[in-house]
Amino acid sequence: MAEKPKMAQIEQSTATATTYPRDLFERWVLFLDTLRERADNMIEHQRRGMPPLLDFKYETLLDARHFDRPANYALLRITEIGDDCWDDCVDMAKPPVIVVDPRAGHGPGIGGFKRDSEVGIAMHEGHPVYFVVFFPEPEQGQTLADVHHALRRFVEEIAKRHPDHPPILYGNCQAGWAITLLAADCQGLSGPIVLNGSPLSYWAGEAGTNPMRMMGGLAGGNWAAHMTADLGDGRFDGAWLAQNFENLQPEKAIWDKYAHLLSHIDDERERFLEFERWWNGFYTLSREEILAITENLFIGNKLETGEMRVCDGCTADLRRIQNPIVIFASEGDNITPPTQALGWIPKVYADTDALKAAGQRIVYLINPHVGHLGIFVSASVARLEHRAILESLDEIETLEPGLYEMKIDNPTGDPDCEKPAYSVSFEPREVSEIGEVHPEDALRNVAQVSRTGEAAYDLFLGPWIRAITTPQSAEALRAMHPMRWTRLMFSARYNPWMGVVQAMADSIRPDRAPLPDDDPQLKAEREAIERIGASLGAMRVARDHAIAVLFKALYAPGAGFVNQAKE
């Protein structure tokens, strides 16, 4: 009698062993077909001129390409999001919200990528919503000052349309420092500003944890960006910035993302394709813009120190800002860690008394785990944190001057719960509590080396590169960028075998019967994926520590490399 159960176990094990290879083969085919569709989406997006990937209807109010000082920006009025439309939802008694998306290699859309977004929440709350977008190519010779004046005109236009309420400005990542410049320039702003994952203190961070701030030094400074823009015929390819982001956590970019798609192909395909539409749309910056960004921010850190020149006769000064500032950062953000979002405060205000004497209110909110992009695209973050910020702005404006940490108490864990199921409090903090992690001497040495290298490049090598570069050679270099060809190689347009993959995937989908999640071999596969990801993560940690050691050896006070550069 004991033989029958044993035989049944053997038969079940054999059946599982037979089923798993078939399931793996089907998932592999569907995985390749998903990469094919991603490539085709990328080609189609480029064919259409790379329009903004926004999940709402809108009308264009102002196009800065037609301004006296043209810039590749435009101001949109949001007219409809899903079932929410302007006429039915907007309460003109509420202040308008302007969302400015980051121009950091990708196209616009991250702040309005889906209905549950900053734009969608603001519209649902009844606010008039406006959105600032930009186009794939900058205007000829476009500068940061041109962009600055275009944004200023956009804000003035909204202020005219809503004279009773100053607009609320949302700045995501790079757009955060762009609107901070508006508040810190000679004219200033009157409404509150919300900075989401926005770096203002570029030298802040922890050794071995935030390596991006050190990469400019290891590359030799500003000249590398200058040469890249020269090779692009005066255009800096945003694919380089996207690649820098992926290099920060390669275990996620080259392994976890694709391994997770393969193991969950039946559930993750649509989400993967939706996000990749935005991630693989690479926009460009002008040579003048990228040089100003690297010189003033990444390497020079001039915004924090009050040395960043906006235009003739005006230098940005963070002490000028009088309107309330809300800073939303995350411990899980390795692109803009909280130290870079908050580190400027103790540099600008010596202590809490100085902050209060300036009449300023700064409120910060720290998420414990969400990543950089999750600050903008996570639906749960939009439905809780962003909604809580928006609903609390009136209270924030009534706070006494000072520094506060915003705390959201949500016992149910439901991001859709309403008050009083969740509550918001503002706990006073001291400026000294923020702390500082600024290897300033080393980073000042980087700035010195960068100036020397930039001068040498512009004198000896730059003129030759600019002389031999043509629009055709620049386009060829763009096409050969790894962020493009590693995607496009899966399109049937470049790889005929992908037509076979598409036919096989079409035949698999109708009868697809995936293995249950508790299948032993499937669980073993996913555990192996996690182990490989953890190993790659450990290698990345070791790399980051090595970067910190090398950086210190090159740029610490008294380092031989620095002394040679100064000589």
Side-chain angles (χ1 to χ4, degrees):
M1 293 294 293
E3 290 296 324
K4 288 187 177 181
K6 185 175 181 180
M7 185 63 67
Q9 292 176 3
I10 294 175
E11 290 176 355
Q12 182 179 2
S13 176
T14 303
T16 301
T18 304
T19 303
Y20 174 77
R22 175 177 176 177
D23 181 79
L24 178 60
F25 173 76
E26 290 180 348
R27 285 188 287 116
W28 178 249
V29 172
L30 296 175
F31 170 78
L32 291 177
D33 190 59
T34 303
L35 299 186
R36 175 199 63 77
E37 190 167 355
R38 177 181 69 172
D40 289 344
N41 289 342
M42 188 174 175
I43 292 171
E44 176 62 17
H45 190 214
Q46 293 173 344
R47 186 192 67 79
R48 294 171 53 209
M50 301 178 71
L53 295 171
L54 306 176
D55 189 28
F56 46 73
K57 296 179 181 179
Y58 57 85
E59 63 174 341
T60 302
L61 298 182
L62 292 174
D63 188 336
R65 293 176 297 181
H66 306 303
F67 289 179
D68 292 338
R69 297 179 62 172
N72 65 331
Y73 279 71
L75 174 65
L76 313 180
R77 181 175 76 95
I78 310 308
T79 59
E80 187 175 343
I81 302 175
D83 297 329
D84 298 331
C85 62
W86 181 283
D87 294 334
D88 296 333
C89 297
V90 167
D91 181 357
M92 295 301 287
K94 291 188 175 184
V97 172
I98 307 174
V99 178
V100 188
D101 246 11
R103 184 160 162 251
H106 300 96
I110 200 70
F113 198 62
K114 55 183 74 171
R115 182 174 181 181
D116 290 328
S117 62
E118 297 163 349
V119 174
I121 292 298
M123 190 86 159
H124 183 71
E125 292 288 316
H127 292 267
V129 183
Y130 300 86
F131 198 85
V132 174
V133 298
F134 42 90
F135 300 96
E137 296 291 337
E139 295 297 295
Q140 185 66 34
Q142 178 175 306
T143 66
L144 283 187
D146 297 331
V147 173
H148 182 82
H149 290 295
L151 294 177
R152 167 71 62 191
R153 186 166 168 184
F154 292 166
V155 174
E156 291 173 348
E157 174 66 22
I158 303 307
K160 290 178 183 177
R161 290 170 174 261
H162 303 269
D164 297 330
H165 301 282
I168 302 165
L169 265 73
Y170 269 71
N172 295 326
C173 189
Q174 171 272 338
W177 60 254
I179 67 171
T180 300
L181 281 176
L182 288 178
D185 72 5
C186 299
Q187 291 181 254
L189 292 172
S190 57
I193 60 177
V194 181
L195 309 178
N196 301 307
S198 301
L200 298 184
S201 184
Y202 287 86
W203 288 0
E206 298 180 10
T209 304
N210 307 126
M212 179 176 277
R213 66 209 171 103
M214 301 179 184
M215 296 309 296
L218 297 184
N222 209 27
W223 74 271
H226 197 163
M227 183 177 70
T228 304
D230 284 345
L231 289 170
D233 197 31
R235 299 286 191 270
F236 185 88
D237 186 0
W240 291 107
L241 298 176
Q243 188 175 53
N244 284 342
F245 295 146
E246 291 201 344
N247 288 341
L248 281 177
Q249 286 188 300
E251 72 274 18
K252 293 186 179 297
I254 66 174
W255 177 255
D256 289 351
K257 178 169 72 172
Y258 297 105
H260 183 76
L261 176 65
L262 174 64
S263 62
H264 298 81
I265 190 65
D266 300 287
D267 304 319
E268 288 293 308
R269 175 176 170 272
E270 292 302 326
R271 187 203 61 80
F272 175 86
L273 290 174
E274 179 187 31
F275 178 76
E276 291 291 295
R277 285 177 184 271
W278 175 79
W279 183 254
N280 295 306
F282 308 121
Y283 283 41
T284 62
L285 292 89
S286 72
R287 175 169 43 218
E288 293 79 3
E289 288 177 298
I290 192 63
L291 292 182
I293 291 170
T294 54
E295 178 183 349
N296 289 295
L297 300 176
F298 293 116
I299 295 174
N301 196 38
K302 294 181 180 180
L303 178 59
E304 180 184 78
T305 59
E307 301 172 289
M308 185 169 178
R309 179 174 169 272
V310 178
C311 55
D312 292 339
C314 183
T315 300
D317 186 350
L318 297 176
R319 295 175 180 83
R320 254 191 222 113
I321 303 177
Q322 295 297 313
N323 36 322
I325 302 174
V326 179
I327 300 170
F328 182 20
S330 173
E331 296 288 354
D333 184 353
N334 69 332
I335 294 176
T336 305
T339 49
Q340 291 191 356
L342 300 171
W344 61 276
I345 298 173
K347 288 295 180 182
V348 173
Y349 303 102
D351 51 35
T352 308
D353 289 338
L355 176 61
K356 292 179 179 179
Q360 180 56 282
R361 300 165 186 82
I362 300 177
V363 175
Y364 66 90
L365 170 65
I366 306 295
N367 185 291
H369 57 79
V370 72
H372 183 71
L373 293 177
I375 293 175
F376 322 124
V377 303
S378 171
S380 60
V381 169
R383 298 200 306 267
L384 183 61
E385 280 94 338
H386 285 301
R387 178 164 59 99
I389 290 172
L390 197 59
E391 293 176 347
S392 302
L393 286 175
D394 287 342
E395 185 178 354
I396 290 172
E397 294 195 66
T398 64
L399 292 172
E400 292 294 322
L403 178 67
Y404 301 87
E405 182 175 4
M406 180 177 174
K407 294 284 191 177
I408 302 176
D409 184 22
N410 183 24
T412 67
D414 180 7
D416 295 316
C417 65
E418 301 290 340
K419 291 182 178 179
Y422 85 93
S423 62
V424 174
S425 61
F426 301 95
E427 300 180 4
R429 294 287 183 260
E430 296 294 320
V431 168
S432 59
E433 294 179 41
I434 292 177
E436 301 178 54
V437 190
H438 284 55
E440 290 194 357
D441 291 338
L443 288 162
R444 284 196 185 96
N445 289 335
V446 171
Q448 175 62 40
V449 170
S450 177
R451 287 190 291 269
T452 303
E454 168 70 3
Y457 168 80
D458 208 31
L459 180 63
F460 297 110
L461 187 58
W464 291 100
I465 290 180
R466 289 189 287 272
I468 64 175
T469 297
T470 65
Q472 292 76 22
S473 67
E475 187 59 35
L477 286 176
R478 282 197 201 184
M480 290 189 291
H481 195 285
M483 290 292 290
R484 288 190 176 86
W485 66 258
T486 56
R487 273 70 172 168
L488 297 177
M489 65 183 287
F490 291 99
S491 170
R493 179 175 178 178
Y494 301 104
N495 184 352
W497 287 105
M498 297 309 296
V500 177
V501 170
Q502 182 180 7
M504 293 173 63
D506 290 342
S507 66
I508 288 172
R509 285 194 185 93
D511 300 319
R512 168 82 174 140
L515 286 176
D517 288 339
D518 60 355
D519 179 85
Q521 290 180 285
L522 188 59
K523 290 172 67 176
E525 173 196 297
R526 292 176 178 176
E527 290 171 359
I529 287 173
E530 289 181 5
R531 286 195 298 270
I532 294 173
S535 298
L536 292 172
M539 293 171 61
R540 186 258 306 163
V541 170
R543 179 205 67 182
D544 292 349
H545 282 288
I547 287 174
V549 171
L550 178 60
F551 180 86
K552 183 177 180 180
L554 291 174
Y555 290 104
F561 179 69
V562 173
N563 292 334
Q564 291 176 11
K566 289 181 178 179
E567 292 173 1

